[in-house]
Amino acid sequence: MTAPGAYDVVVIGGGVTGAGVARDLSLRGLSVLLLEKGDWGAGTTGSSSWMIHGGARYLEFDWDTTRLSCLDAGHIVTIARNFVYRVVFLVPVMPHDRNNIERVETFMEVYDRFQPLKKAHPHRRLTAEEAREVEPGLSPDIVGAVTTEEWGVDPHRLVFANVQDAMAHGARALNHSRVTELIRDGGKVIGVRYRTTDGSTSEARARVVVNAAGPWVPEIGDMAGVRVQLRPAKGIHIVYPHRISNFSLFAESIDGRDLLMVSHAGFTLLGTTDDDFYGDLDSVEVSEDEVDYLLQGFERVFPSIRDYRPVRTTTGVRPTLFKWRPYEDSLSRRYEIFDHASNGVDGFVTIAGGKLSMYRLMAEETSDAV
Ligand SMILES: Cc1cc2nc3c(=O)[nH]c(=O)nc-3n(C[C@H](O)[C@H](O)[C@H](O)COP(=O)(O)OP(=O)(O)OC[C@H]3O[C@@H](n4cnc5c(N)ncnc54)[C@H](O)[C@@H]3O)c2cc1C
């Protein structure tokens, strides 16, 4: 039995990772306190592309991430079928694209092998006429298109559902509660100090503290005197208040990257950029250049894109694991769990990296480590 203000585990970060960890630990019967400094899911999770996707793109450099994402996406779809909806993409191919239609189709044939893991359908190849018939907004210059399928989700609802289920299993969950300090006893982390929006400070003791703070993971690591190095990468979206296209679309950017226009239930997200980020995580701005870069990429395949009125932008910073050299886009989306006992800091576990699509698996393995 733990004393009041004392828990088996304190989890820092109420994004999808922390909420998933809090739920998993509570289901195992541990007493849990989850702390989030803002709103649930208001960090990177809320500014994602809102997809439980397999990551077809990672097949080029990180096959295992695609496989694990598809596998875990399949579990999430099974557990929470009422939360997800199919997002069907057209991948239009233009003359002189980086990949011609044969290459794109071959790529999708490989991805088709993974689609059953997440209960999605295999690709279809469309002629230019067929593609323009189903989506008349496509450029008259396209040479054909290939379809592919992912799952859409409202990440805020997904996070909150995990928080609610954790609470239903006994967890305490506080948002607008910022961890300002870790309480130490020699080398061991034994709790946290946190500040709520009314300015008051509280303490909570725990046998283990989990650092699930997404891109803020290094900042929380510093509080424990351990270095967790990320290579944070910023991404933005343009938000339209309605659907622009019948289908979600791929486009190629000027530097050959894949861009996505995701047609969600009642709105459209057009994204995204992927740039190393060195600034203040609590104040990430969107520049006109970033917006223009996305529009430029899309008007090739969807010429009328600039006629539509966006209402806002979103921006988030990916908590990508550190690696020197690769371009941001080619960074692995793998995750890693650090038990800092190996750095002489007991009672402190960090979960870093990963993707929304794999949050359930990340939560399970983090809970195993705890
Ligand atoms: C543009 C973009 C598009 C993406 N699209 C997708 C996608 O479609 N599908 C997909 O699978 N992945 C996608 N990703 C990746 C995915 O969004 C992230 O990997 C995932 O959401 C990270 O979740 P998290 O909980 O680890 O981090 P976060 O969501 O950032 O959560 C960490 C939380 O910790 C809190 N916190 C920080 N410091 C403290 C503190 N001191 N005290 C208390 N709380 C604190 C923060 O407020 C934050 O809410 C995308 C990422 C970006 C940037």
Side-chain angles (χ1 to χ4, degrees), residues 266-301:
F267 68 101
T268 300
L269 285 178
L270 193 150
T272 174
T273 54
D274 198 342
D275 296 306
D276 281 312
F277 183 75
Y278 301 94
D280 177 0
L281 287 167
D282 291 313
S283 164
V284 188
E285 309 236 313
V286 175
S287 73
E288 274 182 41
D289 283 356
E290 290 168 307
V291 170
D292 266 339
Y293 167 86
L294 296 178
L295 293 176
Q296 177 197 43
F298 265 96
E299 69 184 345
R300 269 177 87 236
V301 292

Side-chain angles (χ1 to χ4, degrees), residues 12-18 35-39 41-53 177-180 212-216 219-220 223 233-237 272-273 316-319 353-358 362:
I12 305 171
V16 76
T17 309
L35 296 170
E36 162 56 46
K37 70 181 167 70
D39 283 323
T44 311
T45 301
S47 49
S48 70
S49 306
W50 292 42
M51 279 191 299
I52 303 277
H53 67 95
S177 300
R178 176 193 285 263
V179 172
T180 53
W216 291 267
E219 194 177 301
I220 305 291
M223 295 180 191
K234 175 187 169 191
I236 76 147
H237 290 97
T272 174
T273 54
V317 178
R318 298 173 183 84
K355 280 156 52 67
L356 190 155
S357 318
M358 293 193 276
M362 293 162 65

Side-chain angles (χ1 to χ4, degrees), residues 57-58 60-62 274 320 323 326-333:
R57 200 170 58 74
Y58 312 132
E60 290 177 48
F61 56 92
D62 187 3
D274 198 342
T320 343
K323 187 144 197 198
Y327 283 120
E328 300 91 320
D329 223 25
S330 314
L331 283 172
S332 162
R333 264 49 170 176

Side-chain angles (χ1 to χ4, degrees), residues 42-357:
T44 311
T45 301
S47 49
S48 70
S49 306
W50 292 42
M51 279 191 299
I52 303 277
H53 67 95
R57 200 170 58 74
Y58 312 132
L59 279 176
E60 290 177 48
F61 56 92
D62 187 3
W63 183 284
D64 216 37
T65 292
T66 305
R67 187 183 63 78
L68 285 178
S69 283
C70 288
L71 199 59
D72 211 39
H75 292 313
I76 298 165
V77 169
T78 307
I79 299 165
R81 182 65 185 85
N82 56 324
F83 273 64
V84 297
Y85 43 89
R86 289 186 195 277
V87 174
V88 181
F89 279 93
L90 292 180
V91 189
V93 180
M94 299 284 286
H96 315 300
D97 263 358
R98 181 167 59 96
N99 292 311
N100 64 26
I101 186 98
E102 295 304 331
R103 282 182 63 134
V104 173
E105 186 168 28
T106 306
F107 189 80
M108 287 307 170
E109 277 166 8
V110 176
Y111 192 44
D112 282 350
R113 297 185 192 187
F114 295 87
Q115 289 286 29
L117 295 175
K118 60 180 173 71
K119 302 169 196 332
H121 297 105
H123 84 280
R124 298 273 299 272
R125 177 164 166 170
L126 306 181
T127 63
E129 294 68 36
E130 286 167 336
R132 283 182 43 79
E133 193 180 331
V134 293
E135 181 36 68
L138 287 174
S139 160
D141 298 333
I142 63 163
V143 293
V146 174
T147 67
T148 187
E149 207 181 87
E150 301 292 356
W151 293 97
V153 71
D154 177 337
H156 300 280
R157 282 192 65 213
L158 183 66
V159 171
F160 194 56
N162 277 274
V163 172
Q164 280 183 312
D165 204 28
M167 289 170 74
H169 289 86
R172 187 160 178 239
L174 303 176
N175 56 3
H176 300 287
S177 300
R178 176 193 285 263
V179 172
T180 53
E181 209 180 320
L182 298 183
I183 305 169
R184 311 277 299 272
D185 178 9
K188 189 171 164 46
V189 173
I190 57 165
V192 299
R193 278 199 188 89
Y194 60 95
R195 197 178 53 234
T196 47
T197 36
D198 65 3
S200 57
T201 303
S202 305
E203 275 186 21
R205 301 287 165 137
R207 291 158 65 200
V208 180
V209 172
V210 174
N211 175 8
W216 291 267
V217 148
E219 194 177 301
I220 305 291
D222 287 347
M223 295 180 191
V226 294
R227 186 165 188 231
V228 187
Q229 210 180 357
L230 298 182
R231 182 148 163 215
K234 175 187 169 191
I236 76 147
H237 290 97
I238 307 172
V239 186
Y240 297 87
H242 46 69
R243 287 177 73 119
I244 290 176
S245 147
N246 294 330
F247 291 89
S248 297
L249 297 176
F250 272 63
E252 188 187 303
S253 65
I254 189 166
D255 51 353
R257 296 181 51 248
D258 287 328
L259 305 178
L260 303 176
M261 177 154 100
V262 192
S263 298
H264 285 288
F267 68 101
T268 300
L269 285 178
L270 193 150
T272 174
T273 54
D274 198 342
D275 296 306
D276 281 312
F277 183 75
Y278 301 94
D280 177 0
L281 287 167
D282 291 313
S283 164
V284 188
E285 309 236 313
V286 175
S287 73
E288 274 182 41
D289 283 356
E290 290 168 307
V291 170
D292 266 339
Y293 167 86
L294 296 178
L295 293 176
Q296 177 197 43
F298 265 96
E299 69 184 345
R300 269 177 87 236
V301 292
F302 199 87
S304 64
I305 188 65
R306 288 184 195 265
D307 297 342
Y308 293 90
R309 192 175 73 90
V311 281
R312 63 188 183 96
T313 51
T314 64
T315 178
V317 178
R318 298 173 183 84
T320 343
L321 295 174
F322 182 81
K323 187 144 197 198
W324 189 263
R325 194 160 299 122
Y327 283 120
E328 300 91 320
D329 223 25
S330 314
L331 283 172
S332 162
R333 264 49 170 176
R334 284 176 193 224
Y335 58 89
E336 198 166 337
I337 295 158
F338 303 89
D339 178 349
H340 297 289
S342 57
N343 316 106
V345 180
D346 283 329
F348 187 53
V349 171
T350 294
I351 165 75
K355 280 156 52 67
L356 190 155
S357 318

